[in-house]
Amino acid sequence: MSRQQRDALDAVLRSAPRSETRPTPEQQRSDFSAALTRPAPEDVVTRRTVLGGRPTLELEPAEASAHGLLLYLHGGGYVIGSPDTHAGLVGELARRAGLRAVSVDYRLAPEHPFPAAVDDGLAAYRELLAAGTEPRDLVLAGDSAGGGLSIATLLAAREAGLPQPAAVVVFSPWTDLTLSGASIRSKEEADPIFTEADVRAYADLYAGADDRAHPLVSPVFADLTGLPPLLVQVGANEILLDDAVRLAGRAGADGVEVTLEVGTGLPHVFQHHYGRLDEADAALDRAARFLTSRLGAGHPGADRPEPVPSGLRRSRRASAS
């Protein structure tokens, strides 16, 4: 693992210009797309489709298994981002896992505040099941707001009486829109991307006057009983650190099999920097193994070990049986 790579990334992220006045959502979306978008890997075919009534990007690796499907929900504070901005990240995870993936263009705030994103996530999940996808062949993943949305989608599915998928992976999940985690303030100097004011502005646009402690807004306050095996990856240098740590603790307390990985000196959704940050490639490999090992027996990647490099802190709680 390269300290030089981490330092260089931190410097690049801190060099991004910040406006003295808060940009409009439209400006944020344009800037985010220009700065973040990475194309899908060359050996991953992309197709435009529709799922749950929403535009969806399907990504199929050249060596995708006939069994297994990844449903991905992108990040962006519920205000910005799209399947296109995340095509590289989703394509890399899909390629490493050998899984076909579908990335949903769920509705964004402020035009479509809560619960629109949850409704779209649930509609996509419901349609996959209705189309014949077996729950044991289905896994979920998401980053940042999409990580929180992934958990909220599974909570909504549980309440609707739908079966749970085989596993879920979340990268730097935003799970507490009340901003009560201590790291929101204690990690502000270490975080090269966000300030408390940044995430509060996103929360205002998405949740508005709704109860921000509602389990589908802030899953860290939910009863997570019955959710599938969960992998949480987060950087130590981000204000959302406690969102991830508390989510993992809540899951373990509720009997969910959970693995928490905290990457030393790493920023928000560091996995997006695959190919230029060793820790990002290693994290995506572990995430892929986590997903495939929990799908049907014989799936590529099943039963392979999950090595944990130095610099990562991991905890695991086994679900009650």
Side-chain angles (χ1 to χ4, degrees), residues 84-109:
D84 288 330
T85 62
H86 284 65
L89 177 59
V90 181
E92 278 293 318
L93 179 58
R95 184 180 65 80
R96 293 165 195 249
L99 295 175
R100 182 168 62 92
V102 286
S103 181
V104 180
D105 193 9
Y106 59 86
R107 289 171 292 171
L108 299 176

Side-chain angles (χ1 to χ4, degrees), residues 59-307:
L59 304 98
E60 185 170 1
E63 298 183 2
S65 167
H67 300 286
L69 177 67
L70 168 63
L71 172 60
Y72 197 93
L73 299 171
H74 68 81
Y78 295 105
V79 175
I80 58 180
S82 71
D84 288 330
T85 62
H86 284 65
L89 177 59
V90 181
E92 278 293 318
L93 179 58
R95 184 180 65 80
R96 293 165 195 249
L99 295 175
R100 182 168 62 92
V102 286
S103 181
V104 180
D105 193 9
Y106 59 86
R107 289 171 292 171
L108 299 176
E111 297 88 346
H112 304 284
F114 173 80
V118 180
D119 289 344
D120 291 347
L122 178 60
Y125 184 76
R126 188 191 297 274
E127 183 169 320
L128 289 174
L129 295 179
T133 303
E134 294 290 339
R136 64 177 178 269
D137 294 330
L138 180 59
V139 292
L140 265 68
D143 66 283
S144 193
L149 180 57
S150 295
I151 303 300
T153 295
L154 295 183
L155 292 171
R158 184 188 66 186
E159 294 307 305
L162 299 174
Q164 293 291 301
V168 55
V169 167
V170 290
F171 305 139
S172 299
W174 189 24
T175 63
D176 178 10
L177 273 67
T178 73
L179 310 187
S180 63
S183 62
I184 290 288
R185 288 158 290 280
S186 67
K187 289 289 184 177
E188 194 165 57
E189 289 299 317
D191 192 320
I193 303 174
F194 294 120
T195 66
E196 178 183 356
D198 293 331
V199 292
R200 188 175 300 279
Y202 287 130
D204 290 345
L205 291 174
Y206 178 61
D210 281 301
D211 177 11
R212 300 189 187 189
H214 189 291
L216 297 185
V217 176
S218 298
V220 74
F221 301 120
D223 177 354
L224 303 180
T225 301
L227 265 62
L230 167 65
L231 171 63
V232 183
Q233 294 181 342
V234 65
N237 286 10
E238 57 172 301
I239 62 177
L240 295 187
L241 173 60
D242 281 348
D243 285 45
V245 172
R246 289 182 297 149
L247 175 69
R250 180 72 266 162
D254 290 339
V256 176
E257 177 193 332
V258 58
T259 301
L260 170 66
E261 297 179 357
V262 181
T264 302
L266 295 174
H268 186 65
V269 194
F270 64 89
Q271 297 84 352
H272 182 77
H273 301 283
Y274 61 87
R276 52 198 181 212
L277 180 68
D278 292 343
E279 291 90 339
D281 289 289
L284 285 174
D285 283 341
R286 291 193 305 276
R289 285 193 294 268
F290 183 90
L291 294 173
T292 57
S293 68
R294 282 152 180 83
L295 290 167
H299 187 280
D303 301 322
R304 287 188 291 184
E306 296 182 45

Side-chain angles (χ1 to χ4, degrees), residues 17-39:
R18 295 185 67 90
S19 173
E20 294 184 2
T21 59
R22 188 162 298 282
T24 66
E26 291 76 12
Q27 291 172 321
Q28 288 179 299
R29 289 165 189 164
S30 176
D31 292 345
F32 186 79
S33 177
L36 192 74
T37 300
R38 298 184 69 177

